[in-house]
Amino acid sequence: MASLLLENIAKSYGTVEVLKNIDLDIQQGELIVFVGPSGCGKSTLLRMIAGLETITAGDLYIDGTRMNDVPPSKRGIAMVFQSYALYPHMTVYDNMAFALKVAKMDKAQIDERVRNAAKILQLDPYLDRLPKALSGGQRQRVAIGRSIVRDPKVYLFDEPLSNLDAALRVDTRIEIAQLKERMPERTMIYVTHDQVEAMTLASRIVVLNNKTHTVAQFGSPLELYQRPENTFVAQFIGSPKMNLLPGTIRAGDAGHTGVDVAAGGVAEVPVSAANASEGERVQLGVRPEDFVVAREGDPVIFEGTASYTEKLGEVTVVYFDARDGEDPVIAKIPGIADVSKGTHLRLTAAPDKLHLFDTDGHSYFYK
Ligand code: ADP
Ligand code: MG
């Protein structure tokens, strides 16, 4: 029902640049998540799409029509904010019907739309209740219902769950995923700073970099996890974040590259050495969950002494002494491992789990 095209979009407030070079091609029916650290411009980008913020440069198209100068009410979008205010003296039904009444829609049509939205959101039993008689999650659903009744082409959500407590966030996140399944043809853009929300909801994720003000990567959740294009994405997606181990290129051939790891031995990375030259300084990326305790004969990628451990039952998180100016290396070992402060460990990882970045943070897999 609606595709979106953003071409070279930029936003500045006076001389302060917030976003630049934003190119996104969003297909109808996608659930796109904008994610990134606080202040990276997620809300600003969403508000430009909604028409609540002017676009400094570049073009925005919805269904092929340029929208830069089209007022918000004519763009076919509906926005759900983090802080939604329901009318406290109106029932759930009237809260959802309100905007349609103001627009002088026919009563029977309003009724049909409200009941349809209530069904999608499983709010049918609560239509006669006042907001104060609802839970936080139910209220949030009413807020979403107010946008559904307007039958927009594009739904925009700006951190809709951030006011909910942890348990309710999980429930509501699942509800939003199910809501999307019930409206497969609708395009949704969802802003969050929570990478778990991004990973679980998105068809594709846009990671925004708060240092460069550009898109760090645009891809499916698993593409970002398995093949991050740069260290920004590598360390933003996944928790604890990916380890970056300094090393140098040793040798290699068309299929793989040998890396001398400063804190370990040699790692063979399955990327063509044609992209790298011998002696070049690099960063070997290994996710904490991809480290495995090395057995006799395994190549040792990292070797160190545990400075701190967390035994969480399902997993043991091991922190190693940090080398000068570097982050501590972290390993996640499944189950309850026999490791404590002072334990010396030698770790390895499967070659297909390794990542390799240059000193500027660009992945060799994309060179
Ligand atoms: P996010 O939603 O990713 O946390 P925002 O889009 O709200 O970030 O803000 C991005 C940047 O733009 C921030 O540095 C913020 O201070 C700045 N900003 C947002 N709105 C304005 C404004 N009206 N005037 C000046 N700067 C603004
Ligand atoms: Mg925001």
Side-chain angles (χ1 to χ4, degrees), residues 266-279:
V266 175
E268 292 291 340
V269 187
V271 66
S272 179
N275 296 329
S277 39
E278 214 170 311

Side-chain angles (χ1 to χ4, degrees), residues 53-225:
E53 202 65 77
T54 57
I55 297 171
T56 308
D59 299 298
L60 165 71
Y61 299 91
I62 299 178
D63 274 342
T65 305
R66 190 171 181 277
M67 287 287 161
N68 291 48
D69 306 313
V70 175
S73 59
K74 300 261 160 39
R75 292 191 185 193
I77 50 104
M79 193 151 166
V80 180
F81 297 93
Q82 166 184 337
S83 46
Y84 49 91
L86 301 180
Y87 302 109
H89 57 285
M90 287 185 196
T91 63
V92 167
Y93 185 102
D94 289 333
N95 262 286
M96 291 204 277
F98 185 73
L100 306 183
K101 281 184 186 159
V102 170
K104 304 225 165 13
M105 189 184 273
D106 169 75
K107 220 171 165 187
Q109 199 182 355
I110 293 178
D111 191 64
E112 190 193 323
R113 291 222 185 165
V114 170
R115 290 190 188 280
N116 179 45
K119 204 164 121 213
I120 290 173
L121 293 162
Q122 288 157 357
L123 284 170
D124 336 41
Y126 311 111
L127 284 173
D128 297 327
R129 285 203 197 173
L130 291 174
K132 66 175 185 221
L134 299 175
S135 70
Q138 289 164 343
R139 278 182 221 154
Q140 182 59 278
R141 274 187 271 159
V142 178
I144 295 171
R146 290 196 303 201
S147 60
I148 291 180
V149 294
R150 293 172 48 204
D151 196 26
K153 292 195 284 188
V154 185
Y155 289 86
L156 305 177
F157 294 91
D158 194 355
E159 309 223 20
L161 309 188
S162 53
N163 287 349
L164 305 179
D165 66 41
L168 200 53
R169 279 184 81 119
V170 174
D171 291 350
T172 315
R173 189 179 82 211
I174 294 168
E175 279 171 13
I176 289 183
Q178 291 170 340
L179 169 68
K180 180 69 185 75
E181 276 175 20
R182 288 192 287 271
M183 302 194 294
E185 78 289 0
R186 295 308 154 112
T187 311
M188 296 186 180
I189 304 180
Y190 187 102
V191 165
T192 179
H193 62 271
D194 182 322
Q195 49 124 343
V196 175
E197 253 169 66
M199 293 296 281
T200 52
L201 288 173
S203 59
R204 287 191 294 165
I205 298 176
V206 177
V207 184
L208 292 171
N209 184 327
N210 58 337
K211 304 273 163 28
T212 60
H213 311 294
T214 57
V215 174
Q217 191 168 352
F218 182 26
S220 73
L222 289 184
E223 270 164 20
L224 303 196
Y225 179 82

